Amino acid sequence: MMRAPQRETAKRSVMIAGHRTSVSLEAEFWEALQEIARGRGHSVQALIGAIDSGRGERNLSSAIRVYVLSAFRGTSEVSESPLTDRVGIGQGVQEPSGRVGEA
């Protein structure tokens, strides 16, 4: 049996509630997260903060993947209403190259 090719993951630094942390996701999930954020008029950083606040015991990368899957299925676990301002949200997402990307 052939195994599916491994997807490359991209690790990015994000600021959540005033603390910097790294998130590793496949490029396709980063792209989908950007698409969802754009469509809702939010930054990726704010969307990650909202996902983080509602993730419970699940690790952040897994919570983001489940959120993206739910959003594309139309069963998003996180409200589509405007996100409230939180400390550390709205700052840039650091790309692997070290530059700050659109958040």
Side-chain angles (χ1 to χ4, degrees):
M1 175 172 18
M2 291 184 60
R3 294 177 66 182
Q6 273 195 306
R7 304 269 184 204
E8 280 194 44
T9 59
K11 184 180 277 192
R12 299 192 184 170
S13 179
V14 296
M15 185 76 82
I16 300 172
H19 297 96
R20 187 167 295 283
T21 188
S22 293
V23 178
S24 292
L25 293 171
E26 294 77 11
E28 295 86 353
F29 280 101
W30 283 116
E31 291 168 13
L33 198 59
Q34 290 171 343
E35 183 180 327
I36 293 165
R38 233 184 344 266
R40 295 184 180 168
H42 301 299
S43 68
V44 170
Q45 187 72 35
L47 188 54
I48 290 173
I51 294 167
D52 180 61
S53 70
R55 69 184 167 106
E57 296 297 315
R58 184 178 281 155
N59 76 48
L60 184 55
S61 293
S62 293
I64 291 170
R65 287 183 187 98
V66 169
Y67 178 86
V68 168
L69 179 61
S70 296
F72 280 95
R73 285 183 171 169
T75 60
S76 178
E77 295 177 2
V78 178
S79 171
E80 291 188 28
S81 63
L83 301 172
T84 58
D85 289 332
R86 296 185 183 109
V87 175
I89 293 180
Q91 299 175 14
V93 175
Q94 188 174 355
E95 302 287 340
S97 65
R99 69 179 181 85
V100 176
E102 180 182 327

